[in-house]
Amino acid sequence: MVSCVRIITFIFYILHFSIIKPTILMMNIKRLLNTVLLLLLCHSVNAGVQGSPTVIEKEIVSDISRIAVSYNDRICPIQTVALDFVSKLTGQSSWQGYSAEEIFVGWMIYYTEWETQELIHVESPDVQRILGIEGEWASVRDFYTSRHEYKLSGLDADSTLSSEQRDAIAEVDMKMQLVTMFYHSEMLRMFPLTVDGQTDWYTPGSTELPLGTPNAEFQFINHAMDHLTQAILANDIAGARNIISKIRLYQEEKAAQVLPSHLAITAEVLHNKLLTSCWWVYLCLLLSVLFAITAVMGKQGKWMSLSHTVFLAALFTLLTLVMGMRWWVSGHVPLSNDYETLLSMAWVSSLIGIICMRRYAILKALAPVLTSLCLFFTAYTVSSPLITALMPVLQTPLLFVHVVFVVISYSLFAIIFLISAYGLFLRSRGKVSESLHLVSISYRLLWPAVGALVMGILIGSVWAKIAWGSYWMWDPKETWALITLIIYMIPLYRPFRNFFPHWHQLYLLIAFLAVLMTYFGVNYFMPGMHSYA
């Protein structure tokens, strides 16, 4: 039974890419075949049993993942699309040892196998009961009844359900909409055509090609992926790579003016792999903590101190390369979202450590810790590190200057927080003089931190006037930025430090909560015009 259904499905797949003439009749037939194909892919409950899906050769997966496509208003490699697809379904960049590219490309070819895999994360117990699954993972098949009915149909608007239940259903339903987009090849707009100076990208077997499209291009767009699929199924690696090369040549001929270079594609692939791998983040965090402990305990000898300096320099160099790569690939300064600002804070923290480590040894110890913590948060608090197109409202140099000052201030506030925590630890151990020395350091760092925040708010107000027509609108993030500024201006008052030296560090420790609220809390609890940041 399984073999029969797979054969029938494959036949429909071949027919799907075999309609050549763009007549109205043929287009209608093709739409019908597309619908039947989708039904076979999504609803054939008896077409197979869950098991390990077929793995495609890694070199084929690697070649396909480097093909350029038009996705989310930018031209990017398929690997970026695969990461977005898999991360939205599973909540992570890989699944059970399979990379995002292996899942995406494998699903393109062996769809009946992948639709039985439980890789769709369903967190809500209510949605789990509706789907009839045990646990938090579901397959595409779990979303349909034995009569091929979609189980979540209309439930996101059911007034008998609570708003929380409807939101949970809508969240999972969006994942299935993504799967539907995948089946309709909407994520594979890889064939460019230029008409009247405007370049549009089309999906394999598209029925929307412009009238008058030359027959050679029409046939290539309709059959290239068909031939690639046949070559992969026949395990013809050389033939598959040859077809992939032809697709790239076609793209270079038809869209050379907008197509990223091979070097840019490779840079984005490497960038994505680096920022979706966590092992180096753990290593940096471990080494930074070990070096910090040996430094504050006075256990660093000559070679250990030199290793600490080399580690800090290497960390700064690595982050500089990542930031530069992201800047080059995206075409804008990497300061446009929460992921990029966290990455920038990591870079600024390491830079502060390098600049100040000779004068303030404590910064050499704590700056790498803060850098590693920022990297850790990028891995676990941000949904996706993928490069995205810049929103029109953000396409202004004023914004980036505004964010630069804010990032510098927040980085300094975070360092002051760590210094204050260590100072309180020393005070608890009876080392009052050393603790007071740290009070003096944090006081000196407060001035540039507050000054940077003032500049950030002022420049942000000028940008707001241009973007929204008003200097100040009491948006939640604006309000909390002002609250943070007032909180940190209080300890700058010298009598505060002189009369309350014992409370100075505790105050700065608690004050950092305002920074966390401004940076993280506002986005999650009080969304406003800055919700994208």
Side-chain angles (χ1 to χ4, degrees), residues 161-181:
L161 300 175
S162 66
S163 60
E164 291 80 7
Q165 291 174 322
R166 292 196 299 271
D167 290 343
I169 291 170
E171 180 182 352
V172 177
D173 184 60
M174 287 180 63
K175 297 182 180 182
M176 282 304 296
Q177 291 178 28
L178 195 67
V179 173
T180 301
M181 287 177 58

Side-chain angles (χ1 to χ4, degrees), residues 263-283:
L263 187 58
I265 291 291
T266 300
E268 183 163 353
V269 169
L270 292 175
H271 170 271
N272 291 339
K273 287 184 177 180
L274 180 63
L275 295 186
T276 54
S277 301
C278 294
W279 65 269
W280 68 280
V281 176
Y282 294 138
L283 179 61

Side-chain angles (χ1 to χ4, degrees), residues 186-206:
E186 288 298 317
M187 296 180 170
L188 292 176
R189 293 189 172 273
M190 63 173 66
F191 298 106
L193 279 176
T194 302
V195 178
D196 297 330
Q198 180 178 349
T199 302
D200 293 317
W201 293 69
Y202 296 91
T203 62
S206 175

Side-chain angles (χ1 to χ4, degrees), residues 57-64 66-67 227-228 231-232 236-248:
E57 293 290 338
K58 289 187 179 297
E59 55 186 323
I60 299 296
V61 172
S62 177
D63 286 350
I64 293 176
R66 281 171 161 76
I67 296 176
H227 295 319
L228 178 59
I232 293 174
D236 181 6
I237 297 177
R241 301 191 74 177
N242 183 50
I243 296 169
I244 294 169
S245 297
K246 289 182 178 179
I247 293 174
R248 289 176 176 168

Side-chain angles (χ1 to χ4, degrees), residues 4 53 56 176 330 348 406 504 509 520 525:
C4 291
I56 298 175
M176 282 304 296
S330 66
V348 169
V406 172
H504 184 85
L509 199 70
F520 291 109
F525 302 114

